[in-house]
Amino acid sequence: MRDLHIPDRPRVFVTNGLCATSHPLAAKVAIDILQAGGNAADAAISAAVLLGICEPQMTGIGGDCFALVKPAGTEKVHALNGSGRAPKALDAEALRATGHTAIPIHGAEAVTVPGAIDAFCALSERFGVLGLDQVLAPTIRYADEGVPVAQRTAFDWANDAGTLQGVARDYYLFGGSAPNVGQVFRAPKQAEILRRVAKNGRAGFYEGAVAEDMVAGLKSVGGVHTLDDFFNTKATWHDPIEADYKGTTLIEHPPNGQGATAMLMAGILSHFDLPSMDPWGVARAHLEAEAAKLAYDARNRFVADLDYVTRLDHMLAPETAAGLAALIDPTQAMENPHALSETVHKETIYLTVVDKDRMVVSLIYSVFHGFGSGIASPEFGVLFQNRGAGFTLEKDHPNEAAGGKRPMHTIIPAMLKRDGQVCTSFGVMGGAYQPNGHARMLTNLVDFGLDPQSAISAPRSFADSDGLNVERGYKAGVRQGLADLGHTLVIPDTPIGGAQMIAIDHDNGVLEGASDPRKDGCALGY
Protein backbone atom coordinates (compact mmCIF):
# COMPACT_ATOMS: atom_id res chain seq x y z
CA MET A 1 0.00 0.00 0.00
CA ARG A 2 1.32 3.45 -0.85
CA ASP A 3 2.26 5.97 1.82
CA LEU A 4 -0.90 8.07 2.12
CA HIS A 5 1.19 11.05 3.28
CA ILE A 6 2.68 11.28 -0.24
CA PRO A 7 0.30 12.73 -2.85
CA ASP A 8 -0.60 10.39 -5.67
CA ARG A 9 -3.70 9.19 -7.42
CA PRO A 10 -5.80 6.62 -5.57
CA ARG A 11 -6.44 3.15 -6.91
CA VAL A 12 -9.94 2.89 -8.43
CA PHE A 13 -12.05 -0.22 -7.73
CA VAL A 14 -15.42 -1.01 -9.33
CA THR A 15 -17.43 -4.09 -10.25
CA ASN A 16 -19.35 -3.21 -13.43
CA GLY A 17 -17.46 -1.20 -16.03
CA LEU A 18 -14.36 0.96 -16.07
CA CYS A 19 -12.48 3.28 -18.44
CA ALA A 20 -8.99 4.68 -17.94
CA THR A 21 -7.78 7.37 -20.27
CA SER A 22 -5.98 10.71 -20.48
CA HIS A 23 -8.92 13.13 -20.18
CA PRO A 24 -11.79 12.99 -17.66
CA LEU A 25 -14.49 13.96 -20.17
CA ALA A 26 -13.56 10.98 -22.33
CA ALA A 27 -13.64 8.64 -19.33
CA LYS A 28 -17.06 10.04 -18.34
CA VAL A 29 -18.43 9.60 -21.87
CA ALA A 30 -17.22 5.99 -21.94
CA ILE A 31 -19.06 5.23 -18.71
CA ASP A 32 -22.18 7.00 -20.00
CA ILE A 33 -22.12 4.75 -23.07
CA LEU A 34 -21.74 1.63 -20.91
CA GLN A 35 -24.63 2.67 -18.69
CA ALA A 36 -26.76 3.36 -21.78
CA GLY A 37 -26.42 -0.27 -22.83
CA GLY A 38 -23.26 -0.11 -24.88
CA ASN A 39 -20.33 -2.43 -24.49
CA ALA A 40 -16.58 -1.82 -24.21
CA ALA A 41 -16.19 -1.47 -27.98
CA ASP A 42 -18.86 1.23 -28.15
CA ALA A 43 -17.39 3.03 -25.15
CA ALA A 44 -13.84 2.90 -26.50
CA ILE A 45 -14.88 4.41 -29.82
CA SER A 46 -16.88 7.16 -28.14
CA ALA A 47 -14.05 8.09 -25.77
CA ALA A 48 -11.36 7.93 -28.45
CA VAL A 49 -13.13 10.22 -30.88
CA LEU A 50 -13.81 12.74 -28.11
CA LEU A 51 -10.09 12.78 -27.24
CA GLY A 52 -9.49 14.28 -30.68
CA ILE A 53 -11.34 17.35 -29.40
CA CYS A 54 -9.94 17.26 -25.86
CA GLU A 55 -6.33 16.68 -26.96
CA PRO A 56 -6.08 17.68 -30.64
CA GLN A 57 -2.30 17.96 -30.47
CA MET A 58 -2.18 14.26 -29.62
CA THR A 59 -4.82 12.66 -31.80
CA GLY A 60 -7.76 13.16 -34.12
CA ILE A 61 -9.71 11.86 -37.08
CA GLY A 62 -6.74 12.60 -39.34
CA GLY A 63 -4.77 9.92 -37.49
CA ASP A 64 -4.43 6.17 -37.04
CA CYS A 65 -5.31 3.68 -34.31
CA PHE A 66 -4.59 0.13 -33.18
CA ALA A 67 -6.72 -1.97 -30.86
CA LEU A 68 -6.70 -5.28 -29.06
CA VAL A 69 -10.18 -6.63 -28.37
CA LYS A 70 -11.18 -9.51 -26.09
CA PRO A 71 -14.90 -10.15 -26.57
CA ALA A 72 -17.14 -11.22 -23.68
CA GLY A 73 -17.32 -14.93 -23.01
CA THR A 74 -13.94 -15.85 -24.50
CA GLU A 75 -10.25 -15.27 -23.81
CA LYS A 76 -9.35 -14.98 -27.50
CA VAL A 77 -7.87 -11.59 -28.36
CA HIS A 78 -8.29 -9.94 -31.77
CA ALA A 79 -5.93 -7.30 -33.15
CA LEU A 80 -7.33 -4.44 -35.25
CA ASN A 81 -4.89 -2.48 -37.40
CA GLY A 82 -6.31 0.95 -38.17
CA SER A 83 -3.14 2.41 -39.64
CA GLY A 84 -3.37 4.02 -43.05
CA ARG A 85 -1.15 3.48 -46.07
CA ALA A 86 1.04 5.76 -48.11
CA PRO A 87 -0.62 7.14 -51.25
CA LYS A 88 -0.09 4.87 -54.25
CA ALA A 89 2.02 7.47 -56.01
CA LEU A 90 4.61 7.82 -53.24
CA ASP A 91 8.01 6.89 -54.68
CA ALA A 92 11.12 6.53 -52.52
CA GLU A 93 13.43 6.68 -55.50
CA ALA A 94 11.91 9.98 -56.58
CA LEU A 95 12.39 11.37 -53.08
CA ARG A 96 16.02 10.28 -53.03
CA ALA A 97 16.52 11.83 -56.46
CA THR A 98 15.45 15.21 -55.11
CA GLY A 99 18.03 15.01 -52.34
CA HIS A 100 15.95 13.63 -49.48
CA THR A 101 17.65 11.22 -47.09
CA ALA A 102 14.58 10.96 -44.84
CA ILE A 103 10.87 11.66 -45.19
CA PRO A 104 10.21 15.37 -44.48
CA ILE A 105 8.51 15.31 -41.09
CA HIS A 106 6.15 18.20 -41.74
CA GLY A 107 5.62 17.82 -45.46
CA ALA A 108 2.83 16.19 -47.42
CA GLU A 109 5.25 13.32 -48.09
CA ALA A 110 4.81 12.25 -44.47
CA VAL A 111 1.00 12.16 -44.62
CA THR A 112 -0.38 8.65 -44.87
CA VAL A 113 -4.11 8.21 -45.41
CA PRO A 114 -5.87 8.43 -41.99
CA GLY A 115 -7.00 4.96 -40.93
CA ALA A 116 -8.74 5.58 -37.62
CA ILE A 117 -12.25 6.31 -38.85
CA ASP A 118 -12.38 3.12 -40.90
CA ALA A 119 -11.09 1.20 -37.88
CA PHE A 120 -13.74 2.67 -35.60
CA CYS A 121 -16.40 1.72 -38.14
CA ALA A 122 -14.97 -1.81 -38.40
CA LEU A 123 -14.82 -2.18 -34.60
CA SER A 124 -18.40 -0.94 -34.27
CA GLU A 125 -19.67 -3.27 -36.97
CA ARG A 126 -17.98 -6.39 -35.63
CA PHE A 127 -18.25 -5.94 -31.89
CA GLY A 128 -20.40 -2.91 -31.03
CA VAL A 129 -24.03 -3.09 -29.98
CA LEU A 130 -25.01 0.57 -30.34
CA GLY A 131 -25.20 2.48 -33.61
CA LEU A 132 -22.53 4.99 -34.60
CA ASP A 133 -25.11 7.75 -34.26
CA GLN A 134 -25.36 7.11 -30.50
CA VAL A 135 -21.65 6.42 -30.05
CA LEU A 136 -20.54 9.62 -31.81
CA ALA A 137 -23.22 11.89 -30.33
CA PRO A 138 -21.18 13.02 -27.29
CA THR A 139 -18.24 14.16 -29.43
CA ILE A 140 -20.54 15.94 -31.85
CA ARG A 141 -22.01 17.88 -28.93
CA TYR A 142 -18.63 18.70 -27.40
CA ALA A 143 -17.15 19.69 -30.77
CA ASP A 144 -20.01 22.16 -31.25
CA GLU A 145 -20.18 23.47 -27.68
CA GLY A 146 -16.47 23.33 -26.90
CA VAL A 147 -14.13 21.75 -24.35
CA PRO A 148 -12.08 23.70 -21.76
CA VAL A 149 -8.38 23.15 -22.37
CA ALA A 150 -6.83 21.10 -19.55
CA GLN A 151 -3.44 21.73 -17.94
CA ARG A 152 -1.24 19.10 -19.62
CA THR A 153 -3.03 19.69 -22.91
CA ALA A 154 -2.25 23.41 -22.73
CA PHE A 155 1.41 22.64 -21.99
CA ASP A 156 1.72 20.35 -25.01
CA TRP A 157 -0.33 22.67 -27.23
CA ALA A 158 2.10 25.54 -26.58
CA ASN A 159 5.11 23.30 -27.21
CA ASP A 160 3.70 21.99 -30.49
CA ALA A 161 1.99 25.10 -31.88
CA GLY A 162 4.94 25.91 -34.15
CA THR A 163 4.18 22.78 -36.17
CA LEU A 164 0.88 24.22 -37.41
CA GLN A 165 0.98 25.71 -40.89
CA GLY A 166 -1.45 27.37 -43.27
CA VAL A 167 -5.12 26.97 -42.46
CA ALA A 168 -4.27 24.66 -39.55
CA ARG A 169 -3.29 27.77 -37.60
CA ASP A 170 -6.80 29.14 -38.04
CA TYR A 171 -8.39 25.94 -36.76
CA TYR A 172 -6.07 25.20 -33.84
CA LEU A 173 -4.75 28.53 -32.58
CA PHE A 174 -6.48 31.38 -30.75
CA GLY A 175 -5.53 34.62 -32.48
CA GLY A 176 -2.25 33.04 -33.54
CA SER A 177 -1.40 31.69 -30.09
CA ALA A 178 -1.89 28.46 -28.18
CA PRO A 179 -4.79 28.53 -25.71
CA ASN A 180 -4.37 29.07 -22.01
CA VAL A 181 -5.62 26.58 -19.42
CA GLY A 182 -9.41 26.82 -19.26
CA GLN A 183 -9.97 28.45 -22.65
CA VAL A 184 -12.70 26.69 -24.63
CA PHE A 185 -11.74 24.93 -27.85
CA ARG A 186 -14.50 24.35 -30.42
CA ALA A 187 -14.40 22.35 -33.64
CA PRO A 188 -17.80 22.69 -35.36
CA LYS A 189 -16.41 21.51 -38.69
CA GLN A 190 -15.36 18.24 -37.09
CA ALA A 191 -18.85 17.93 -35.64
CA GLU A 192 -20.15 18.13 -39.20
CA ILE A 193 -17.79 15.34 -40.32
CA LEU A 194 -18.91 13.13 -37.46
CA ARG A 195 -22.57 13.73 -38.33
CA ARG A 196 -21.78 12.42 -41.81
CA VAL A 197 -20.00 9.36 -40.38
CA ALA A 198 -22.86 8.74 -37.93
CA LYS A 199 -25.28 8.73 -40.84
CA ASN A 200 -23.25 7.13 -43.65
CA GLY A 201 -20.49 5.18 -41.90
CA ARG A 202 -17.00 5.25 -43.39
CA ALA A 203 -18.37 6.78 -46.62
CA GLY A 204 -18.99 10.00 -44.68
CA PHE A 205 -15.24 10.39 -44.35
CA TYR A 206 -13.58 8.52 -47.20
CA GLU A 207 -15.98 9.62 -49.93
CA GLY A 208 -17.78 12.79 -50.94
CA ALA A 209 -17.12 16.30 -49.71
CA VAL A 210 -14.86 15.41 -46.77
CA ALA A 211 -12.56 13.21 -48.87
CA GLU A 212 -12.49 15.80 -51.65
CA ASP A 213 -11.50 18.46 -49.12
CA MET A 214 -8.69 16.31 -47.71
CA VAL A 215 -7.28 15.45 -51.13
CA ALA A 216 -7.47 19.07 -52.28
CA GLY A 217 -5.69 20.26 -49.15
CA LEU A 218 -2.89 17.73 -49.53
CA LYS A 219 -2.43 18.40 -53.24
CA SER A 220 -2.14 22.13 -52.51
CA VAL A 221 1.02 21.47 -50.49
CA GLY A 222 2.59 18.97 -52.87
CA GLY A 223 0.85 15.74 -51.88
CA VAL A 224 0.30 12.92 -54.38
CA HIS A 225 -2.83 11.64 -52.63
CA THR A 226 -5.94 10.74 -54.64
CA LEU A 227 -9.58 10.05 -53.92
CA ASP A 228 -8.90 6.38 -54.69
CA ASP A 229 -6.29 6.29 -51.91
CA PHE A 230 -8.96 7.40 -49.44
CA PHE A 231 -11.74 5.21 -50.86
CA ASN A 232 -9.54 2.10 -50.67
CA THR A 233 -8.46 2.61 -47.05
CA LYS A 234 -9.34 -0.45 -45.01
CA ALA A 235 -8.61 -1.51 -41.44
CA THR A 236 -7.49 -5.12 -41.08
CA TRP A 237 -7.95 -7.81 -38.42
CA HIS A 238 -5.05 -9.99 -37.29
CA ASP A 239 -4.02 -12.40 -34.56
CA PRO A 240 -1.91 -10.75 -31.87
CA ILE A 241 1.62 -11.86 -31.03
CA GLU A 242 2.39 -13.29 -27.58
CA ALA A 243 5.41 -13.97 -25.40
CA ASP A 244 5.85 -15.47 -21.94
CA TYR A 245 7.49 -13.45 -19.18
CA LYS A 246 7.94 -15.49 -15.99
CA GLY A 247 4.49 -17.05 -16.26
CA THR A 248 2.69 -13.93 -17.49
CA THR A 249 1.79 -13.70 -21.18
CA LEU A 250 2.47 -10.36 -22.86
CA ILE A 251 0.04 -9.77 -25.75
CA GLU A 252 1.03 -7.22 -28.38
CA HIS A 253 -0.16 -6.05 -31.78
CA PRO A 254 1.87 -7.50 -34.67
CA PRO A 255 3.85 -5.22 -37.01
CA ASN A 256 3.69 -2.60 -38.43
CA GLY A 257 3.50 -1.52 -34.78
CA GLN A 258 6.52 -1.99 -32.54
CA GLY A 259 5.00 -4.47 -30.09
CA ALA A 260 7.68 -7.00 -31.05
CA THR A 261 10.23 -4.53 -29.69
CA ALA A 262 8.57 -4.62 -26.27
CA MET A 263 8.62 -8.42 -26.37
CA LEU A 264 12.30 -8.55 -27.28
CA MET A 265 13.17 -6.05 -24.57
CA ALA A 266 11.24 -8.06 -21.98
CA GLY A 267 13.00 -11.19 -23.18
CA ILE A 268 16.39 -9.54 -22.69
CA LEU A 269 15.46 -8.35 -19.19
CA SER A 270 14.26 -11.84 -18.22
CA HIS A 271 17.91 -12.93 -18.10
CA PHE A 272 18.65 -10.64 -15.14
CA ASP A 273 17.60 -10.89 -11.50
CA LEU A 274 15.48 -7.76 -11.44
CA PRO A 275 13.59 -8.61 -8.21
CA SER A 276 16.87 -8.43 -6.30
CA MET A 277 17.40 -4.83 -7.38
CA ASP A 278 16.13 -1.52 -6.08
CA PRO A 279 13.30 -0.73 -8.55
CA TRP A 280 14.41 2.93 -8.64
CA GLY A 281 18.14 2.27 -8.30
CA VAL A 282 21.12 2.42 -10.62
CA ALA A 283 21.34 -1.25 -11.59
CA ARG A 284 17.76 -1.59 -12.81
CA ALA A 285 17.79 1.69 -14.78
CA HIS A 286 21.13 0.76 -16.38
CA LEU A 287 20.02 -2.71 -17.46
CA GLU A 288 16.76 -1.35 -18.84
CA ALA A 289 18.65 1.31 -20.82
CA GLU A 290 21.02 -1.26 -22.30
CA ALA A 291 18.19 -3.66 -23.15
CA ALA A 292 16.33 -0.80 -24.85
CA LYS A 293 19.34 0.11 -26.98
CA LEU A 294 19.60 -3.44 -28.28
CA ALA A 295 15.87 -4.02 -28.75
CA TYR A 296 15.39 -0.73 -30.57
CA ASP A 297 18.32 -1.49 -32.84
CA ALA A 298 16.54 -4.71 -33.80
CA ARG A 299 13.33 -2.75 -34.35
CA ASN A 300 15.11 -0.40 -36.74
CA ARG A 301 16.37 -3.35 -38.74
CA PHE A 302 13.30 -5.53 -38.92
CA VAL A 303 9.94 -3.88 -38.10
CA ALA A 304 7.84 -2.80 -41.08
CA ASP A 305 4.48 -3.38 -42.75
CA LEU A 306 3.43 -6.96 -41.92
CA ASP A 307 3.46 -7.77 -45.64
CA TYR A 308 7.16 -6.86 -45.80
CA VAL A 309 8.54 -8.18 -42.48
CA THR A 310 10.96 -11.06 -43.03
CA ARG A 311 12.75 -11.54 -39.66
CA LEU A 312 9.94 -11.37 -37.10
CA ASP A 313 10.44 -14.97 -35.96
CA HIS A 314 14.14 -14.26 -35.42
CA MET A 315 13.37 -11.08 -33.50
CA LEU A 316 11.02 -12.97 -31.16
CA ALA A 317 13.12 -16.11 -30.76
CA PRO A 318 14.26 -16.79 -27.15
CA GLU A 319 17.83 -17.35 -28.32
CA THR A 320 17.89 -13.85 -29.83
CA ALA A 321 16.98 -12.31 -26.48
CA ALA A 322 19.55 -14.50 -24.74
CA GLY A 323 22.28 -13.52 -27.19
CA LEU A 324 21.54 -9.82 -26.78
CA ALA A 325 21.36 -10.10 -22.99
CA ALA A 326 24.88 -11.55 -23.03
CA LEU A 327 26.14 -8.34 -24.67
CA ILE A 328 25.13 -6.18 -21.71
CA ASP A 329 27.88 -5.11 -19.32
CA PRO A 330 26.37 -4.35 -15.88
CA THR A 331 29.28 -1.99 -15.18
CA GLN A 332 29.44 0.06 -18.38
CA ALA A 333 27.05 1.73 -20.82
CA MET A 334 27.48 0.60 -24.41
CA GLU A 335 28.35 3.18 -27.02
CA ASN A 336 27.30 1.42 -30.24
CA PRO A 337 24.47 -1.09 -29.87
CA HIS A 338 24.20 -1.47 -33.65
CA ALA A 339 27.78 -2.72 -33.94
CA LEU A 340 27.42 -5.02 -30.93
CA SER A 341 24.11 -6.54 -31.99
CA GLU A 342 25.36 -7.36 -35.49
CA THR A 343 26.60 -10.55 -33.87
CA VAL A 344 22.98 -11.49 -33.05
CA HIS A 345 20.23 -11.61 -35.42
CA LYS A 346 5.53 10.93 -30.55
CA GLU A 347 2.17 12.14 -29.60
CA THR A 348 -0.62 9.76 -28.69
CA ILE A 349 -3.66 8.99 -26.57
CA TYR A 350 -4.34 5.61 -25.01
CA LEU A 351 -7.50 4.28 -23.42
CA THR A 352 -8.75 1.01 -22.10
CA VAL A 353 -12.30 -0.07 -21.28
CA VAL A 354 -13.67 -3.17 -19.57
CA ASP A 355 -17.43 -3.69 -19.35
CA LYS A 356 -19.70 -5.69 -17.04
CA ASP A 357 -19.49 -8.75 -19.30
CA ARG A 358 -15.68 -8.47 -19.30
CA MET A 359 -15.22 -7.45 -22.88
CA VAL A 360 -11.82 -5.75 -22.88
CA VAL A 361 -10.60 -3.11 -25.33
CA SER A 362 -7.06 -1.75 -25.37
CA LEU A 363 -6.89 1.10 -27.89
CA ILE A 364 -4.27 3.62 -28.95
CA TYR A 365 -4.91 6.53 -31.34
CA SER A 366 -2.49 9.16 -32.60
CA VAL A 367 -1.40 11.77 -35.14
CA PHE A 368 2.27 10.90 -34.35
CA HIS A 369 4.22 14.12 -33.68
CA GLY A 370 2.53 16.99 -31.82
CA PHE A 371 -0.17 18.21 -34.24
CA GLY A 372 1.08 15.59 -36.71
CA SER A 373 2.19 17.05 -40.01
CA GLY A 374 0.83 20.47 -39.08
CA ILE A 375 -1.24 20.39 -42.28
CA ALA A 376 -5.05 20.66 -42.20
CA SER A 377 -7.69 20.40 -44.90
CA PRO A 378 -9.12 23.81 -45.84
CA GLU A 379 -12.88 23.28 -45.56
CA PHE A 380 -13.24 20.87 -42.62
CA GLY A 381 -9.97 21.39 -40.79
CA VAL A 382 -8.93 17.72 -40.67
CA LEU A 383 -5.44 17.74 -39.16
CA PHE A 384 -3.27 15.14 -40.87
CA GLN A 385 -0.90 12.78 -39.14
CA ASN A 386 2.72 12.46 -40.28
CA ARG A 387 3.01 8.69 -39.89
CA GLY A 388 4.95 8.47 -43.15
CA ALA A 389 7.90 9.81 -41.17
CA GLY A 390 8.09 6.27 -39.80
CA PHE A 391 9.36 5.05 -43.18
CA THR A 392 13.02 4.94 -44.11
CA LEU A 393 14.48 5.97 -47.46
CA GLU A 394 17.17 3.30 -47.18
CA LYS A 395 16.96 1.32 -50.40
CA ASP A 396 15.69 -2.27 -50.07
CA HIS A 397 15.03 -1.91 -46.32
CA PRO A 398 11.82 -3.75 -45.32
CA ASN A 399 10.49 -0.40 -44.07
CA GLU A 400 11.47 1.55 -47.20
CA ALA A 401 8.77 4.06 -48.20
CA ALA A 402 6.48 2.85 -50.98
CA GLY A 403 3.02 3.56 -52.31
CA GLY A 404 0.24 1.54 -50.70
CA LYS A 405 2.50 0.48 -47.81
CA ARG A 406 2.07 0.99 -44.07
CA PRO A 407 5.01 2.59 -42.22
CA MET A 408 6.59 1.32 -39.03
CA HIS A 409 4.38 2.65 -36.23
CA THR A 410 5.27 3.61 -32.68
CA ILE A 411 1.81 3.15 -31.14
CA ILE A 412 1.01 -0.18 -29.49
CA PRO A 413 -1.81 -1.40 -27.21
CA ALA A 414 -1.15 -4.32 -24.87
CA MET A 415 -2.78 -6.90 -22.63
CA LEU A 416 -1.51 -9.47 -20.14
CA LYS A 417 -2.79 -12.99 -19.52
CA ARG A 418 -2.29 -15.13 -16.46
CA ASP A 419 -3.53 -18.72 -16.17
CA GLY A 420 -5.11 -18.38 -19.59
CA GLN A 421 -7.24 -15.34 -18.73
CA VAL A 422 -6.77 -11.72 -19.72
CA CYS A 423 -5.93 -10.06 -16.41
CA THR A 424 -4.62 -6.63 -17.45
CA SER A 425 -5.19 -4.16 -20.27
CA PHE A 426 -2.71 -1.32 -20.61
CA GLY A 427 -0.87 1.04 -22.87
CA VAL A 428 1.90 3.59 -22.66
CA MET A 429 1.97 6.85 -24.63
CA GLY A 430 5.12 8.63 -25.66
CA GLY A 431 6.27 7.85 -29.23
CA ALA A 432 9.44 5.78 -29.27
CA TYR A 433 9.24 5.22 -25.50
CA GLN A 434 6.27 2.88 -25.81
CA PRO A 435 8.06 -0.52 -26.03
CA ASN A 436 10.34 0.53 -23.18
CA GLY A 437 7.21 1.64 -21.31
CA HIS A 438 5.53 -1.72 -21.88
CA ALA A 439 8.60 -3.55 -20.59
CA ARG A 440 8.70 -1.26 -17.56
CA MET A 441 5.01 -1.77 -16.75
CA LEU A 442 5.44 -5.53 -17.13
CA THR A 443 8.49 -5.68 -14.86
CA ASN A 444 6.94 -3.27 -12.35
CA LEU A 445 3.99 -5.65 -12.02
CA VAL A 446 5.72 -9.03 -12.28
CA ASP A 447 9.18 -8.47 -10.79
CA PHE A 448 8.43 -5.79 -8.22
CA GLY A 449 4.82 -6.64 -7.35
CA LEU A 450 3.52 -3.10 -7.77
CA ASP A 451 -0.18 -2.36 -8.02
CA PRO A 452 -1.32 -0.72 -11.29
CA GLN A 453 -1.34 2.87 -10.00
CA SER A 454 2.07 2.54 -8.36
CA ALA A 455 3.45 0.93 -11.51
CA ILE A 456 2.30 3.94 -13.53
CA SER A 457 3.11 6.75 -11.12
CA ALA A 458 6.69 5.62 -10.46
CA PRO A 459 9.63 7.50 -12.04
CA ARG A 460 10.82 6.57 -15.52
CA SER A 461 14.00 6.59 -17.55
CA PHE A 462 14.59 6.03 -21.26
CA ALA A 463 17.72 5.73 -23.38
CA ASP A 464 17.40 7.40 -26.77
CA SER A 465 19.66 9.24 -29.21
CA ASP A 466 20.00 12.19 -26.82
CA GLY A 467 21.26 10.05 -23.94
CA LEU A 468 19.58 8.55 -20.91
CA ASN A 469 16.48 10.58 -20.11
CA VAL A 470 15.80 10.45 -16.37
CA GLU A 471 12.73 11.99 -14.76
CA ARG A 472 13.16 14.19 -11.70
CA GLY A 473 11.58 11.44 -9.59
CA TYR A 474 14.97 9.71 -9.49
CA LYS A 475 17.27 10.68 -6.61
CA ALA A 476 20.43 12.67 -7.30
CA GLY A 477 22.61 9.76 -6.16
CA VAL A 478 21.01 7.46 -8.70
CA ARG A 479 21.58 9.98 -11.47
CA GLN A 480 25.23 10.26 -10.47
CA GLY A 481 25.58 6.48 -10.38
CA LEU A 482 24.22 6.23 -13.92
CA ALA A 483 26.60 8.94 -15.11
CA ASP A 484 29.48 7.00 -13.51
CA LEU A 485 28.53 4.01 -15.69
CA GLY A 486 29.00 6.16 -18.78
CA HIS A 487 25.46 7.30 -19.48
CA THR A 488 24.91 10.83 -20.74
CA LEU A 489 22.18 12.05 -18.41
CA VAL A 490 19.30 14.23 -19.62
CA ILE A 491 16.48 15.53 -17.42
CA PRO A 492 13.68 16.06 -19.98
CA ASP A 493 11.42 19.11 -19.90
CA THR A 494 8.42 16.91 -20.66
CA PRO A 495 7.56 13.83 -18.56
CA ILE A 496 8.37 10.51 -20.19
CA GLY A 497 5.16 9.21 -21.72
CA GLY A 498 1.88 8.50 -20.02
CA ALA A 499 0.00 5.30 -19.22
CA GLN A 500 -3.40 3.84 -18.39
CA MET A 501 -4.23 0.41 -17.00
CA ILE A 502 -7.11 -1.80 -15.91
CA ALA A 503 -6.53 -4.98 -13.92
CA ILE A 504 -9.22 -7.66 -13.72
CA ASP A 505 -9.63 -9.63 -10.48
CA HIS A 506 -11.56 -12.61 -11.79
CA ASP A 507 -11.89 -14.27 -8.39
CA ASN A 508 -13.61 -11.31 -6.73
CA GLY A 509 -15.31 -9.82 -9.80
CA VAL A 510 -13.52 -6.49 -9.34
CA LEU A 511 -11.90 -4.10 -11.84
CA GLU A 512 -8.99 -1.91 -10.76
CA GLY A 513 -8.18 1.20 -12.76
CA ALA A 514 -5.08 3.39 -12.85
CA SER A 515 -4.32 6.64 -14.69
CA ASP A 516 -1.06 8.50 -15.16
CA PRO A 517 -0.62 11.69 -13.09
CA ARG A 518 1.56 12.96 -15.95
CA LYS A 519 -1.66 13.43 -17.96
CA ASP A 520 -5.00 15.16 -17.41
CA GLY A 521 -7.13 12.03 -17.24
CA CYS A 522 -8.46 9.53 -14.75
CA ALA A 523 -9.85 6.06 -14.24
CA LEU A 524 -13.60 6.11 -13.84
CA GLY A 525 -16.12 3.34 -13.38
CA TYR A 526 -19.41 2.28 -11.83
Side-chain angles (χ1 to χ4, degrees):
M1 181 175 177
R2 71 179 176 93
D3 184 343
L4 297 178
H5 285 235
I6 299 173
D8 192 9
R9 292 195 170 175
R11 300 163 70 182
V12 175
F13 296 93
V14 300
T15 56
N16 290 301
L18 196 149
C19 174
T21 192
S22 52
H23 197 285
L25 288 181
K28 172 63 163 56
V29 159
I31 298 306
D32 288 345
I33 290 291
L34 293 181
Q35 292 183 309
N39 63 15
D42 299 310
I45 296 166
S46 191
V49 177
L50 178 55
L51 286 166
I53 306 301
C54 296
E55 301 179 74
Q57 82 288 2
M58 292 282 180
T59 196
I61 56 178
D64 283 349
C65 75
F66 291 83
L68 296 174
V69 183
K70 187 205 79 69
T74 178
E75 296 304 317
K76 179 176 175 56
V77 178
H78 305 266
L80 176 61
N81 187 328
S83 65
R85 300 177 184 272
K88 284 286 187 183
L90 184 72
D91 185 342
E93 192 60 51
L95 289 169
R96 287 191 289 264
T98 58
H100 290 294
T101 58
I103 301 290
I105 292 175
H106 297 128
E109 300 90 341
V111 179
T112 50
V113 179
I117 287 291
D118 189 74
F120 295 148
C121 292
L123 177 58
S124 175
E125 181 178 0
R126 183 169 182 180
F127 290 116
V129 294
L130 301 181
L132 281 174
D133 54 347
Q134 190 170 350
V135 169
L136 297 179
T139 303
I140 292 170
R141 177 171 64 83
Y142 277 117
D144 276 330
E145 296 178 1
V147 171
V149 175
Q151 184 175 3
R152 174 62 192 273
T153 301
F155 175 84
D156 291 334
W157 205 312
N159 281 347
D160 300 328
T163 298
L164 296 165
Q165 51 188 291
V167 296
R169 295 180 61 82
D170 299 328
Y171 282 108
Y172 295 97
L173 295 180
F174 291 59
S177 300
N180 297 317
V181 174
Q183 279 191 270
V184 176
F185 172 66
R186 296 179 177 85
K189 293 288 189 177
Q190 288 196 48
E192 175 56 29
I193 293 173
L194 294 174
R195 288 188 187 94
R196 293 168 185 247
V197 174
K199 181 179 180 181
N200 301 313
R202 69 176 306 281
F205 187 81
Y206 295 100
E207 301 176 42
V210 176
E212 291 165 5
D213 175 52
M214 290 190 286
V215 170
L218 290 167
K219 285 186 176 295
S220 72
V221 291
V224 294
H225 306 71
T226 67
L227 287 172
D228 282 345
D229 291 324
F230 280 80
F231 178 81
N232 293 324
T233 296
K234 185 173 180 59
T236 51
W237 292 95
H238 304 272
D239 290 327
I241 52 177
E242 299 184 356
D244 176 74
Y245 185 82
K246 302 181 180 180
T248 295
T249 301
L250 174 62
I251 304 171
E252 296 278 358
H253 207 289
N256 51 317
Q258 55 179 342
T261 313
M263 289 181 165
L264 176 56
M265 187 172 168
I268 294 169
L269 290 172
S270 71
H271 291 274
F272 299 91
D273 185 13
L274 293 185
S276 70
M277 302 174 187
D278 177 353
W280 323 126
V282 174
R284 191 244 182 140
H286 169 69
L287 288 174
E288 187 179 280
E290 302 303 277
K293 292 174 185 176
L294 294 165
Y296 280 62
D297 177 68
R299 179 201 72 173
N300 294 342
R301 297 167 188 253
F302 304 135
V303 175
D305 187 324
L306 192 57
D307 293 336
Y308 294 80
V309 170
T310 59
R311 304 292 306 277
L312 182 62
D313 289 344
H314 171 72
M315 188 173 173
L316 296 178
E319 54 266 30
T320 300
L324 292 173
L327 300 175
I328 294 176
D329 183 346
T331 67
Q332 182 65 44
M334 69 182 73
E335 292 186 5
N336 190 339
H338 185 81
L340 277 175
S341 65
E342 290 222 347
T343 62
V344 182
H345 276 220
K346 221 116 175 70
E347 304 288 359
T348 305
I349 66 88
Y350 172 80
L351 66 89
T352 178
V353 183
V354 180
D355 65 25
K356 61 181 175 59
D357 297 316
R358 299 310 185 246
M359 171 184 269
V360 184
V361 176
S362 180
L363 187 149
I364 200 157
Y365 174 38
S366 173
V367 291
F368 198 17
H369 291 88
F371 286 118
S373 65
I375 301 166
S377 68
E379 176 61 29
F380 290 98
V382 177
L383 184 74
F384 296 110
Q385 64 187 13
N386 59 339
R387 277 294 166 187
F391 283 125
T392 179
L393 290 182
E394 179 184 338
K395 190 173 178 59
D396 298 325
H397 191 286
N399 190 39
E400 180 184 11
K405 188 176 180 180
R406 286 168 160 159
M408 190 278 285
H409 252 267
T410 57
I411 58 176
I412 46 175
M415 291 183 184
L416 301 178
K417 270 186 181 179
R418 203 169 291 125
D419 299 325
Q421 290 182 298
V422 171
C423 60
T424 308
S425 178
F426 75 100
V428 179
M429 298 159 271
Y433 176 67
Q434 292 178 53
N436 192 145
H438 283 207
R440 171 153 288 213
M441 292 302 119
L442 177 65
T443 54
N444 279 352
L445 294 170
V446 175
D447 291 302
F448 299 107
L450 299 183
D451 63 78
Q453 188 60 57
S454 297
I456 287 174
S457 296
R460 296 176 185 150
S461 59
F462 177 48
D464 66 10
S465 59
D466 294 329
L468 181 56
N469 293 270
V470 179
E471 288 186 335
R472 289 194 294 272
Y474 276 93
K475 295 179 180 178
V478 174
R479 293 197 293 270
Q480 184 59 54
L482 290 166
D484 292 343
L485 293 178
H487 293 283
T488 300
L489 271 291
V490 178
I491 298 178
D493 293 331
T494 302
I496 299 174
Q500 314 290 336
M501 187 181 297
I502 297 175
I504 306 170
D505 181 343
H506 292 283
D507 291 337
N508 293 310
V510 171
L511 305 175
E512 179 178 354
S515 181
D516 205 319
R518 296 166 181 84
K519 296 284 186 175
D520 295 316
C522 64
L524 188 66
Y526 74 107

